[in-house]
Structures are given as structure tokens and as C-alpha cells.
Amino acid sequence: MKKVVKFLATLMALTMMMSLLAGCSQKAPAATSEQKVEKFKIGLSLPTQREERWVRDKETMEAEAKKIGVDLEVQVSDNDSAKQVSQCENLITKGVKILIVGPHDSKAAAAIVEKAHAAGVKVISYDRLILDSDVDLYVSFDNFKVGEIQGKYITEKVGKGNYVVLSGDPADNNAKLFKEGAMKYIKPLADKGDVKIVLEQAVKDWKPDEAMKHMENVLTAQKNDIQAVLAPNDGTAGGAIQAMAAQGLAGKIPVTGQDSELAAARRILEGTQSMTVFKDTRELGKAAIAAALKMAKGENPGANGKVNNVKLDVPSILVESVVVDKTNLDKVLIDSGYLKKEDVYKK
Ligand code: BGC
């Protein structure tokens, strides 16, 4: 009898141990979703590194990818849309799971989305919208609003007179949005006859040199009688201001900008450029990498808006943009750590 009891006790103890062990293995941490996608690659295709902002976009995304332990393969297309398509094909061949594309040409880049989708790769349209495509997500600023900020600023400063209206590269969808936003304020004044638009000109590839040439020509044609310049970004503003400086007019004609480049901040302080728009590309880069990670895990990246790209309303993550001039430059650009005080105020 004793033997039977001992045997039963041993059996029970064994059973308990086994069930405990089984419980342990059930509770062993399941691979987290991060671990599951640990080895995946993200492709990043940027249009250029000419403007300072694109350098920061790249640096931020590289740092963010490193933080989460994801491989980021970067290509820069140097404002060449055929090159961008082939670089993206290459990234797809290399097995990226998500492709982040800042298109040089908003229409031509639709081919990239098709090729990516055919290979099961999702595409995030970065800063510039890829038109007429099934792009999966758009991460940008409200670019119409950026234009509104510029238009409101310049029309409040100069309500009457001869305006030069420059816009960005015609293949960049943002250029169109910036201009439309700004014209919301300028056009009513032109319709009233208070403002005369003496030059309305797109600047090929956003080149500062081109902006300078257009400005030189219009200054000559108008015998320097110009009261305001809508420049779409800091690079083109810099070109236009150089042409004005040659006529002794720098600082006498209000000029807009955007991007909060270091050179623009310095011009704002010296009074040759009136304003810029602060678009925190650090936030944009972080948002894009975070969204890519979610998409790679099959999760919803989350969106706070939709932007139509002709074919569909693309779910969009839109980051805020802020007007900057002499009155708030220190607070917005220096206190936020975007620019360094010693660089901005360097003599
Ligand atoms: C961007 C601007 C930039 C311009 C030229 C636009 O699409 O939104 O920030 O200055 O391209 O690169």
C-alpha cells in the first residue's frame, strides 16, 4: 500500500513539474513584432542633396533607422527622374520591404510605385506627393498652407505695387501647391489692380542661379521698379537677393522664402530676406521611419489627413509648419535646436 502511495505521489509530482515546464514554455516571450521584422530593409530615394533641408532629412532618417536597428539603403537622384526610377528598381531588387520616395518628378515617379507594388513593396511618398498612383502613404507638411503663410506675409507687408512671383520646379507637385496657397492672397490684390504681377516665373529645378537670372532680367525690364518678391524657398530667395544686391536693392524689397536654411536665417537678421517657413524636417524624417516600421509589421501607420493625388485620396501624415521672421527667429529656430546660435550670429 505504502509503495502505491509513494508511486502515486511521485507521479503527481512529475505531472506537476511537467505542467509547470509546459507553462513556462507557453509563457516564454513570443518574438516581439520588432524582433520578427528585425532583418528587414527600408529603401530611401531622395531627389537631391542641394538644399540643406534634404541633407537633414537624410541624416535624421539614417539616425532613426539606426536607433531601431533597421537597415536603411539610401540613394540620391540628383534631380534626375530617370535616374531615380532606376535607383528605386535597384533598391527593390535588393529586397527592401518599404520604399520611401521623395520624388524629383511627381508624375514620373508613379512608375516607381507600380514597380514596387509588383514586387510586394509598399511606398511612402515623402515631402512631395507622387501623383496618379496607388501610393500607400504620404508624409509631408500641408504644402498649400506653406504657400498661404508666404502669401499672407508678403501681402501684409506690401499691399500695392509691382510683384515678382517666382515658383518652384514645375515637375514638383509642391511647387504648384506653394504657389496656389500664396496666390490666394496675391490674386485678389492683383484683381483689384493694387498689385501688378510683372513677372510670373517657374524656376527650373529650384536653381538659385536661375532665380538670380530671372530677377536680373525683371529688374532691368522694370528699371528696378519692383516692390515685392514671392520666392518659393530660401535657395531661390538667395538667388533673387543676389540680383537685387547688384543693384543696391537688397533689403529694400521684401522677399519670402521657406526651409529655414542657415543662410536664410542670417539674411533675415541682416534684413535682406523678410521671412522663411520652418518645416521641421527632423520631425518629418522621424515620422517617415516610424510609419515604415509600422507598415513593415503590417500595422496601420496612422494618418491625420488625406491628400488627393488625382487617382485617390492618399492617407497622409502632415506635420505643422511655422512662419519665421526677425521677431521669432531665435525662439523658433534656435531654441528648438534646429540652428545653432553661434552659426546664426557668426560675424
Ligand atoms: C520642398 C522644399 C524645397 C524644394 C527644393 C520642395 O519640394 O518642399 O522644402 O526647398 O522642394 O528642394
Side-chain angles (χ1 to χ4, degrees):
M1 184 65 188
K2 262 190 185 170
K3 266 188 187 165
V4 174
V5 171
K6 204 173 170 191
F7 173 74
L8 279 175
T10 318
L11 201 69
M12 270 174 71
L14 267 172
T15 320
M16 270 173 72
M17 259 174 69
M18 279 174 69
S19 68
L20 261 174
L21 278 173
C24 275
S25 69
Q26 266 164 21
K27 277 188 206 116
T32 63
S33 29
E34 270 91 353
Q35 284 169 319
K36 272 189 217 148
V37 291
E38 202 174 27
K39 289 278 170 258
F40 82 95
K41 270 190 213 157
I42 300 176
L44 170 64
S45 165
L46 289 173
T48 178
Q49 290 284 278
R50 191 201 305 120
E51 288 82 15
E52 211 168 276
R53 61 145 297 174
W54 295 111
V55 177
R56 281 172 175 265
D57 293 76
K58 178 172 171 283
E59 284 171 358
T60 304
M61 285 190 266
E62 282 170 341
E64 286 298 301
K66 202 168 171 198
K67 239 193 249 168
I68 57 169
V70 160
D71 249 3
L72 184 73
E73 287 253 356
V74 188
Q75 296 284 330
V76 177
S77 72
D78 299 318
N79 295 311
D80 177 337
S81 71
K83 185 169 169 185
Q84 187 164 38
V85 174
S86 75
Q87 286 178 332
C88 287
E89 282 172 343
N90 202 13
L91 289 170
I92 295 166
T93 311
K94 282 185 166 169
V96 299
K97 194 157 178 159
I98 307 287
L99 190 53
I100 302 174
V101 183
H104 167 64
D105 183 315
S106 300
K107 286 186 191 145
I112 298 171
V113 179
E114 265 180 42
K115 285 175 208 259
H117 281 178
V121 175
K122 291 214 156 91
V123 181
I124 299 177
S125 189
Y126 186 79
D127 192 74
R128 302 172 175 173
L129 185 58
I130 302 176
L131 297 175
D132 210 0
S133 68
D134 294 311
V135 66
D136 300 279
L137 182 73
Y138 181 38
V139 177
S140 187
F141 301 89
D142 179 339
N143 295 304
F144 182 81
K145 193 172 153 205
V146 172
E148 284 184 312
I149 291 174
Q150 296 171 325
K152 184 166 186 285
Y153 194 95
I154 196 84
T155 51
E156 277 173 6
K157 261 219 143 58
V158 184
K160 279 185 178 149
N162 291 340
Y163 263 61
V164 169
V165 173
L166 300 176
S167 52
D169 186 75
D172 177 352
N173 184 57
N174 282 351
K176 182 173 161 263
L177 296 174
F178 299 145
K179 184 172 177 192
E180 281 172 5
M183 289 312 279
K184 185 178 137 185
Y185 289 88
I186 299 171
K187 191 171 178 294
L189 299 184
D191 290 347
K192 259 208 294 187
D194 287 352
V195 156
K196 186 171 171 213
I197 299 173
V198 292
L199 176 69
E200 200 169 349
Q201 176 69 53
V203 179
K204 174 100 186 87
D205 279 347
W206 298 88
K207 278 189 188 141
D209 280 7
E210 290 265 324
M212 185 176 84
K213 272 185 221 140
H214 294 311
M215 196 67 214
E216 280 167 0
N217 293 342
V218 72
L219 282 168
T220 307
Q222 295 301 317
K223 302 193 172 61
N224 287 355
D225 183 15
I226 287 165
Q227 280 70 50
V229 176
L230 177 83
N233 71 346
D234 290 341
T236 51
I241 291 164
Q242 227 177 306
M244 288 173 203
Q247 299 298 313
L249 292 173
K252 298 199 174 124
I253 307 173
V255 185
T256 60
Q258 81 166 287
D259 286 342
S260 297
E261 290 188 354
L262 175 61
R266 292 169 63 95
R267 286 193 298 264
I268 290 174
L269 292 177
E270 76 187 16
T272 54
Q273 184 173 327
S274 314
M275 59 84 77
T276 186
V277 180
F278 178 42
K279 303 191 305 183
D280 196 337
T281 48
R282 297 169 304 183
E283 291 303 316
L284 199 68
K286 279 187 200 160
I289 295 295
L293 180 63
K294 284 197 176 147
M295 284 160 79
K297 290 194 236 166
E299 292 171 9
N300 185 339
N304 58 8
K306 280 187 188 290
V307 179
N308 189 274
N309 80 343
V310 183
K311 192 167 189 185
L312 67 141
D313 287 335
V314 185
S316 305
I317 298 176
L318 302 177
V319 177
E320 281 303 307
S321 48
V322 181
V323 61
V324 176
D325 68 2
K326 232 179 214 163
T327 62
N328 65 349
L329 191 144
D330 279 26
K331 189 164 170 284
V332 178
L333 300 183
I334 296 174
D335 292 356
S336 68
Y338 196 73
L339 296 179
K340 288 202 187 83
K341 188 165 193 161
E342 58 266 34
D343 295 337
V344 174
Y345 286 91
K346 193 162 67 194
K347 283 285 163 216

